Amino acid sequence: MWTFYLAILLIVLAYWYISTPKNAPPGPRGLPILGYLPFLDKNAHLTFVKLGKIYGNVFRVYFGSRLVVVLNDYDAIHEAFVKNAEIFAGRPPDINFKEKPEDNLGVISNDGVFWKQHRRFILTNLRDYGVGKLALEPMLLTELHHFIEVVKTKNGESFAVKQLLNNSLTNNINILVTGKRYEYDDPTMIKMLQLFRKAEMLFPVLTVFALFPWLSKLPGADIILKKKQIKELIATFLSIVGDTIQQVKVDYKDGQQSNYIHAYLTERLSRLQADASDNIFSDEALVHIVRDLLVAGTETTATSLHWGLFYMTLNPEVQRKVQDEIDRVIGQERDPSYNDRTQLPYTEATIMEIHRMVSLVPLSIAHRNTKEVFIQNYRIPKDTMIIPNLWAVHRDPKIWGDPENFRPERFIGMNGQVMKNDHLIPFSMGKRACAGEPLARMEMFLYFVSLLQNFTFVPPDGKMPTLEYYPGFVRRPIFQLVCAKPRK
């Protein structure tokens, strides 16, 4: 009997060590069944930086039996996502926590015809609503005024800023999507933000599931992966979104384009009139897409700003330079404008340095190559999971020289103006780059400038913020408090 089990084990081991595809990138083998999982740091992007030094900037690892290729520098990511954009625009089919196909009707985790048509529609509508242009500025400034007034009520005392940022930024995307703004104490707003906080606590689990979906098939996985809590969270959020959509539908009239939901309904009606079997723009898809827009349009910018205020607290000399520039160009009376960027090179460079240092989503979202392809002369089999290490690009000493130092001057040219660096890719690149990038950039600039125009950020309760963060898909700071002293 033992001879039989030993033979089976030897067969498994032999298969494990000879099954790597021919001409595949080099990389560590890991263990049978588990792959490289036992050796991953809780922050996988740091493990990948170390492996890149050993195996090069295109290497493979195994997550269980799944082949994963990591792109660990700018050139590799650019070759895949830009030069071979169409091929690498896929998503692994199991990175979404879903029970049935219709659970994957959003745009973040989808690909193919559905994703292409909806992404194009989202981008078109965001442009039509003025995203990235001055036409959107009055709406953002109106919300920004509410936000600044609430910060002023803190009277220079320490407070947790993240929830307030979520409140304000959720309103911006809500207005674009639904045409409605919520008061910060509105029950719907409160419930939505409670869900965001619950989701933050589950980020580590969601990250594990996205990277190792096969774990869900193991005994006891439902408990380990907190499947019940995640299902309840998703169901509750979709219920809130569904109710919101129904409220917006009440005001809809044929042909309206006043917000995203109205534009979607108009598009759906037009498609059904042309082809009654068209199901790309369905009622079910609308719920999931609105969910994606609300989540993506809130969490990333709020957390980036949160980090940005920490970096100002930790680097008071940078904060003073930013404030001096704002005072000289804008003063402390008028609102900032997105057009001020050209006159605020140091401020713009500081925001760029925040993006570089934070690398908010260090491994982006996994891609899938839809056909076999060669990257840097390595063969990448069809349907491989592809992980771009944006963190490695933003901390590459060959590009930045002193990547660990917070130094906005690296983005200032000899002429004193902002110097663009293509290696700064906080929103990724190619066809799967963040669709909300223009809105996020506009919000980041207006909020950051307005905050430093009105306040000076000092150590809360005399304690310097730490740069420690929770493991997970998004780098969320463990330290929460800020102290905003009103400027005279």
Side-chain angles (χ1 to χ4, degrees), residues 121 124-126 128-129 175-179 248 251-270:
F121 186 75
T124 299
N125 276 274
L126 289 178
D128 289 347
Y129 299 141
I175 292 170
L176 290 171
V177 172
T178 71
V248 177
D251 300 326
Y252 173 71
K253 295 179 182 177
D254 290 357
Q256 276 189 319
Q257 307 271 344
S258 52
N259 55 60
Y260 179 81
I261 293 174
H262 284 173
Y264 185 103
L265 295 173
T266 295
E267 176 71 10
R268 180 168 182 261
L269 183 61
S270 174

Side-chain angles (χ1 to χ4, degrees), residues 180-432:
K180 180 178 179 180
R181 179 189 182 275
Y182 292 101
E183 295 297 333
Y184 294 170
D185 59 355
D186 184 281
T188 300
M189 173 69 84
I190 292 171
K191 188 180 292 186
M192 202 177 298
L193 293 176
Q194 287 173 342
L195 291 173
F196 281 145
R197 286 195 293 275
K198 288 182 180 178
E200 286 181 348
M201 300 307 295
L202 290 170
F203 267 159
V205 178
L206 291 167
T207 302
V208 168
F209 182 84
L211 294 177
F212 317 110
W214 55 272
L215 287 175
S216 65
K217 299 177 175 62
L218 298 179
D222 285 2
I223 297 174
I224 297 171
L225 293 175
K226 300 183 180 179
K227 206 168 184 180
K228 182 179 179 182
Q229 294 97 309
I230 292 174
K231 285 176 66 176
E232 289 175 350
L233 177 71
I234 292 172
T236 303
F237 195 41
L238 289 176
S239 176
I240 293 174
V241 170
D243 291 343
T244 301
I245 290 171
Q246 290 306 314
Q247 294 170 18
V248 177
K249 280 184 175 181
V250 171
D251 300 326
Y252 173 71
K253 295 179 182 177
D254 290 357
Q256 276 189 319
Q257 307 271 344
S258 52
N259 55 60
Y260 179 81
I261 293 174
H262 284 173
Y264 185 103
L265 295 173
T266 295
E267 176 71 10
R268 180 168 182 261
L269 183 61
S270 174
R271 285 170 172 256
L272 290 176
Q273 288 172 345
D275 180 2
S277 65
D278 189 311
N279 64 353
I280 296 290
F281 279 66
S282 65
D283 285 335
E284 293 81 6
L286 176 59
V287 176
H288 290 260
I289 288 169
V290 169
R291 171 207 60 195
D292 283 359
L293 291 172
L294 293 178
V295 172
T298 299
E299 181 60 34
T300 52
T301 305
T303 307
S304 295
L305 281 164
H306 194 184
W307 278 114
L309 299 182
F310 286 165
Y311 277 106
M312 292 303 93
T313 305
L314 291 166
N315 297 274
E317 72 289 349
V318 172
Q319 182 172 202
R320 281 193 296 272
K321 288 182 181 179
V322 171
Q323 289 174 325
D324 288 346
E325 187 177 67
I326 291 171
D327 291 349
R328 187 171 62 253
V329 175
I330 301 175
Q332 293 189 32
E333 298 301 323
R334 82 164 170 89
D335 290 328
S337 168
Y338 200 45
N339 268 357
D340 291 325
R341 287 172 299 151
T342 57
Q343 302 301 314
L344 297 171
Y346 190 80
T347 303
E348 184 76 352
T350 299
I351 293 172
M352 294 166 76
E353 182 72 339
I354 290 169
H355 280 308
R356 186 191 70 82
M357 289 292 287
V358 171
S359 295
L360 188 67
V361 187
L363 297 179
S364 189
I365 302 176
H367 289 230
R368 173 179 63 88
N369 55 310
T370 56
K371 67 179 183 180
E372 181 178 299
V373 66
F374 281 81
I375 295 295
Q376 296 192 358
N377 298 318
Y378 292 118
R379 174 175 168 260
I380 314 296
K382 178 183 176 183
D383 294 332
T384 297
M385 178 185 277
I386 310 295
I387 295 180
N389 192 352
L390 307 187
W391 172 274
V393 177
H394 291 158
R395 297 301 177 99
D396 188 341
K398 295 193 298 295
I399 298 171
W400 309 106
D402 57 342
E404 299 304 318
N405 292 329
F406 187 85
R407 189 169 60 84
E409 288 79 6
R410 72 178 79 248
F411 293 105
I412 301 290
M414 296 295 291
N415 61 358
Q417 295 303 304
V418 170
M419 181 174 61
K420 182 182 178 184
N421 190 317
D422 290 337
H423 299 94
L424 181 65
I425 49 173
F427 302 96
S428 193
M429 62 173 76
K431 290 184 177 293
R432 298 300 311 220

Side-chain angles (χ1 to χ4, degrees), residues 25-235:
R29 171 61 67 176
L31 299 175
I33 302 176
L34 294 176
Y36 202 72
L37 176 60
F39 308 107
L40 280 180
D41 185 274
K42 63 180 180 180
N43 296 300
H45 56 280
L46 301 180
T47 302
F48 293 156
V49 169
K50 294 174 184 176
L51 290 176
K53 293 177 180 178
I54 300 171
Y55 297 102
N57 288 316
V58 179
F59 62 86
R60 58 160 171 78
V61 290
Y62 278 90
F63 294 165
S65 60
R66 163 174 274 175
L67 174 66
V68 176
V69 169
V70 179
L71 308 177
N72 217 44
D73 76 341
Y74 176 85
D75 290 340
I77 296 172
H78 187 271
E79 183 177 347
F81 293 176
V82 176
K83 293 183 179 179
N84 293 280
E86 195 68 38
I87 294 173
F88 283 90
R91 291 283 195 223
D94 49 6
I95 65 169
N96 193 37
F97 205 104
K98 58 177 181 163
E99 296 289 326
K100 46 191 182 302
E102 56 266 32
D103 288 341
N104 197 20
L105 288 174
V107 288
I108 294 176
S109 301
N110 220 325
D111 57 26
V113 174
F114 179 96
W115 164 75
K116 287 181 180 179
Q117 294 194 21
H118 279 285
R119 180 181 170 87
R120 188 182 305 120
F121 186 75
I122 289 169
L123 291 172
T124 299
N125 276 274
L126 289 178
R127 283 195 297 267
D128 289 347
Y129 299 141
V131 169
K133 305 174 186 175
L134 290 184
L136 188 67
E137 204 167 84
M139 183 206 88
L140 294 179
L141 290 175
T142 297
E143 178 56 41
L144 187 49
H145 291 160
H146 289 286
F147 172 76
I148 293 296
E149 288 306 310
V150 175
V151 177
K152 286 180 178 178
T153 66
K154 306 302 180 182
N155 297 315
E157 298 295 325
S158 301
F159 70 104
V161 72
K162 179 64 187 308
Q163 180 174 339
L164 185 56
L165 284 167
N166 276 347
N167 275 16
S168 188
L169 293 163
T170 295
N171 264 334
N172 290 337
I173 192 65
N174 251 309
I175 292 170
L176 290 171
V177 172
T178 71
K180 180 178 179 180
R181 179 189 182 275
Y182 292 101
E183 295 297 333
Y184 294 170
D185 59 355
D186 184 281
T188 300
M189 173 69 84
I190 292 171
K191 188 180 292 186
M192 202 177 298
L193 293 176
Q194 287 173 342
L195 291 173
F196 281 145
R197 286 195 293 275
K198 288 182 180 178
E200 286 181 348
M201 300 307 295
L202 290 170
F203 267 159
V205 178
L206 291 167
T207 302
V208 168
F209 182 84
L211 294 177
F212 317 110
W214 55 272
L215 287 175
S216 65
K217 299 177 175 62
L218 298 179
D222 285 2
I223 297 174
I224 297 171
L225 293 175
K226 300 183 180 179
K227 206 168 184 180
K228 182 179 179 182
Q229 294 97 309
I230 292 174
K231 285 176 66 176
E232 289 175 350
L233 177 71
I234 292 172

